């Protein structure tokens, strides 16, 4: 990651500066940046995404079948959904507080343009109905993770209730699960190259200059992300499990780095699942449910960006938001975080829904779009850390957390031994 940042940063300065001969500069940007780096980076992200549907389906099915108890599954679901919503609510409140303190949009003074077009957010009813698949193959083909989750849980419960034939099917899926996990491990070995290319390509095109002009906004989002990630999650872990937050973040460093490089919690999911089970010590019966669910509905980092962005846009247009509007922002950003797809940039699209709800001009998004990719990388890392923290708390409360694994020093050595 650091090497990619350095190479990308150097190319970003050298190519437009005219230091290099023109043909060399063109060749570098055509063959190296848009050619090699982009191709390898995209192939890497595609191969990660490739694993998502098989991994979620098979590992969740195995997890549900091994729980073997519907009441336990229900408890797991309500605990994790409750905690996911709670942490998102805290995240957005923290973001609003910090944004009101820093006042990032003060003095920008924009007038509201008379016309702006806004897309309508889908109604709640449709969102709810869409969680339930009418065709499991279509759900998998379209990568509809919530639908895949529902199908896998249903099949897992049926397996648990099917006696001998259920055991045979479960044994097959257990084996398949090991094979898929091994595929993920193979891909992980390519990670350094993939991440280098992604980051180098990104920073070669991304002028750091934009950060300066939107400095206060950028700083407010990053500060809120840091406080939430290392403050809220640490408190949560300490209070509910007594585990060391420092060790938690050390164990979660791989998925957080992947999330930062890909800006997609969906693509990072295979890595998250592996780290949460192997390094953090969460039992697969919990992690196989909480991690894909979290990657789909839990986006604390995204909610933080939306909170700060709302305040920023309101200030830039000199619009006063009352207490009621802020409460509405908390509610809407929590809902938007559920509806945000786990891919790059969608958080910004969902911001439209929040802005609409409180009557702010949607074209304000144009103000912050320049720094959004960088912030997307940071907030996706927080989204993924949140999935890990909630999974740990839920597993601990169910007695399904392996403390020995969590406290094991030198994860890499242990990984090599497993491999
Ligand atoms: N990139 C984020 C994620 O995948 C979503 C967003 O905030 O745009 O988690």
């Amino acid at each position: 990651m650091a090497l990619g940042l350095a190479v990308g940063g150097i190319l970003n300065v050298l190519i437009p500066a005219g230091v290099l001969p023109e043909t060399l500069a063109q060749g570098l940007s055509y063959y190296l940046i848009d050619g090699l780096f982009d191709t390898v980076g995209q192939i890497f992200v595609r191969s990660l995404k490739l694993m998502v549907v098989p991994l979620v389906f098979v590992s969740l099915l195995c997890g549900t079948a091994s729980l073997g108890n519907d009441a336990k599954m229900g408890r797991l679901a309500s605990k994790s959904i409750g905690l996911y919503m709670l942490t998102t609510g805290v995240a957005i409140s923290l973001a609003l507080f910090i944004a009101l303190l820093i006042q990032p949009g003060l003095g920008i003074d924009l007038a509201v343009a008379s016309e702006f077009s806004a897309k309508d957010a889908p109604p709640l009813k449709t969102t709810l109905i869409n969680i339930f698949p009418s065709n499991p193959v279509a759900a998998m083909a379209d990568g509809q993770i919530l639908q895949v989750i529902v199908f896998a849980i249903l099949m897992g419960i049926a397996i648990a209730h099917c006696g001998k034939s259920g055991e045979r099917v479960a044994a097959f899926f257990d084996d398949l699960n090991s094979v898929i996990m091994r595929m993920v491990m193979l891909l992980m070995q390519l990670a350094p190259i993939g991440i280098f290319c992604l980051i180098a390509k990104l920073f070669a095109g991304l002028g750091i200059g934009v950060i300066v002009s939107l400095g206060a906004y950028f700083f407010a989002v990053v500060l809120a992300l840091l406080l939430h990630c290392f403050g809220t999650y640490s408190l949560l872990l300490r209070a509910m499990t007594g585990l060391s937050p420092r060790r938690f973040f050390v164990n979660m460093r791989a998925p957080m780095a992947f999330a930062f490089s890909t800006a997609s919690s969906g693509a990072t999911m295979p890595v998250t699942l592996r780290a949460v089970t192997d390094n953090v010590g969460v039992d697969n019966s919990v992690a196989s449910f909480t991690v894909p669910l979290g990657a789909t509905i839990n986006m604390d980092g995204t909610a933080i960006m939306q909170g700060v962005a709302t305040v920023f846009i309101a200030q830039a247009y000199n619009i006063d938001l009352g207490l009621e509007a802020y409460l509405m922002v908390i509610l809407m950003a929590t809902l938007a975080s559920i509806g945000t797809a786990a891919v790059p940039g969608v958080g910004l699209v969902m911001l439209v829904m929040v802005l609409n709800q409180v009557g702010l001009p949607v074209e304000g998004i144009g103000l912050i779009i320049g720094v959004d990719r960088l912030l997307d990388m940071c907030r996706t890392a927080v989204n993924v850390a949140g999935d890990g923290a909630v999974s740990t708390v839920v597993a601990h409360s169910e007695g399904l957390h392996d403390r020995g694994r969590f406290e094991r020093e030198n994860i890499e050595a242990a990984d090599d031994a497993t491999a």
Side-chain angles (χ1 to χ4, degrees), residues 39-109:
T39 312
V40 176
Q42 286 203 37
I43 292 177
F44 177 61
V45 174
R46 285 179 88 105
S47 3
L48 281 175
K49 286 188 182 159
L50 166 78
M51 301 312 303
V52 172
V53 170
L55 188 66
V56 170
F57 178 64
V58 176
S59 79
L60 183 52
L61 190 146
C62 293
T64 321
S66 71
L67 277 180
N69 175 331
D70 311 348
K72 220 170 178 177
M73 193 67 219
R75 215 172 49 224
L76 210 66
S78 45
K79 269 189 203 170
S80 34
I81 294 174
L83 272 174
Y84 279 143
M85 304 282 271
L86 181 78
T87 48
T88 309
V90 172
I92 170 90
S93 312
L94 185 70
L96 288 177
F97 176 72
I98 288 181
L100 288 171
L101 209 69
I102 294 182
Q103 310 221 328
L106 222 59
I108 296 186
D109 275 337

Side-chain angles (χ1 to χ4, degrees), residues 263-266 299 302 305 340-348 376 379-380 383:
S264 164
S265 31
M299 311 251 169
T302 304
M305 176 280 287
T340 304
V343 291
V346 182
L348 205 64
D376 196 4
R379 68 181 181 248
T380 307
N383 289 346

Side-chain angles (χ1 to χ4, degrees), residues 156-171:
I157 291 176
I159 288 175
H161 286 278
C162 255
K164 280 268 171 284
S165 25
E167 278 169 28
R168 283 194 298 271
V169 178

Side-chain angles (χ1 to χ4, degrees), residues 102-399:
I102 294 182
Q103 310 221 328
L106 222 59
I108 296 186
D109 275 337
L110 291 172
V112 181
S114 53
E115 273 177 55
F116 61 90
S117 59
K119 283 186 236 144
D120 282 337
L124 191 61
K125 179 181 153 194
T126 325
T127 314
L128 273 179
I129 293 175
N130 279 341
I131 295 177
F132 296 88
S134 59
N135 178 341
V137 180
M140 290 185 196
D142 295 341
Q144 295 283 349
I145 294 302
L146 286 180
Q147 297 191 356
V148 176
I149 289 180
V150 169
F151 184 62
I153 291 180
L154 210 63
M155 194 159 162
I157 291 176
I159 288 175
H161 286 278
C162 255
K164 280 268 171 284
S165 25
E167 278 169 28
R168 283 194 298 271
V169 178
F172 166 75
F173 276 110
D174 271 337
D175 287 347
L176 192 59
N177 199 22
S178 316
V179 173
I180 291 177
M181 273 305 198
R182 176 50 57 115
M183 284 172 80
V184 174
M185 277 177 72
L186 289 177
L187 278 179
M188 295 273 288
Q189 304 196 335
L190 298 177
I193 301 170
I195 289 184
F196 167 79
C197 288
L198 281 174
I199 297 272
K201 149 90 177 110
L202 204 79
F203 280 89
L206 208 72
I208 303 293
V210 279
I211 298 179
V212 179
S213 57
L214 282 167
Y217 167 71
F218 190 87
F219 173 71
V221 177
V222 171
L223 180 67
L225 287 174
L226 287 173
L227 282 177
H228 187 64
C229 188
F230 298 108
T232 313
Y233 296 149
S234 300
L235 280 177
L236 185 75
L237 283 166
R238 266 262 178 261
M240 313 270 283
T241 67
L243 295 167
S244 146
R246 195 192 68 83
R247 183 120 289 279
F248 170 79
F249 288 110
V250 170
N251 290 345
M252 283 292 289
R253 68 184 188 274
M256 287 176 76
F258 269 68
F260 183 81
S261 319
T262 59
S264 164
S265 31
T268 307
M269 199 194 300
V271 187
T272 317
L273 191 58
R274 184 163 174 267
V276 167
T277 48
D278 286 9
N279 303 344
V280 181
V282 174
D283 192 83
N284 185 52
S285 59
V286 175
S288 63
F289 175 70
T290 52
V291 169
L293 182 75
T296 319
I297 70 163
N298 180 52
M299 311 251 169
D300 293 1
T302 304
I304 285 176
M305 176 280 287
Q306 291 172 340
V308 179
T310 309
V311 175
F312 174 76
I313 292 171
Q315 287 172 351
Y317 284 96
N318 286 320
I319 299 172
D320 265 338
L321 291 179
L323 182 64
E324 209 175 297
Y326 285 122
L327 291 177
M328 184 53 97
V329 172
I330 295 181
L331 180 71
M332 289 317 287
T334 309
L335 291 178
S337 127
I338 298 175
T340 304
V343 291
V346 182
L348 205 64
V349 177
M350 294 303 279
L351 180 60
V352 171
M353 183 173 124
V354 182
L355 295 180
N356 265 339
Q357 203 63 36
V358 288
L360 286 175
V362 175
E363 71 253 31
I365 289 181
L367 292 175
I368 52 174
I369 213 158
V371 283
D372 195 63
R373 176 66 197 207
L374 263 180
L375 288 176
D376 196 4
M377 297 163 78
C378 304
R379 68 181 181 248
T380 307
V382 176
N383 289 346
V384 164
D387 300 341
V390 168
S391 301
T392 313
V393 171
V394 172
H396 185 269
S397 74
E398 290 287 319

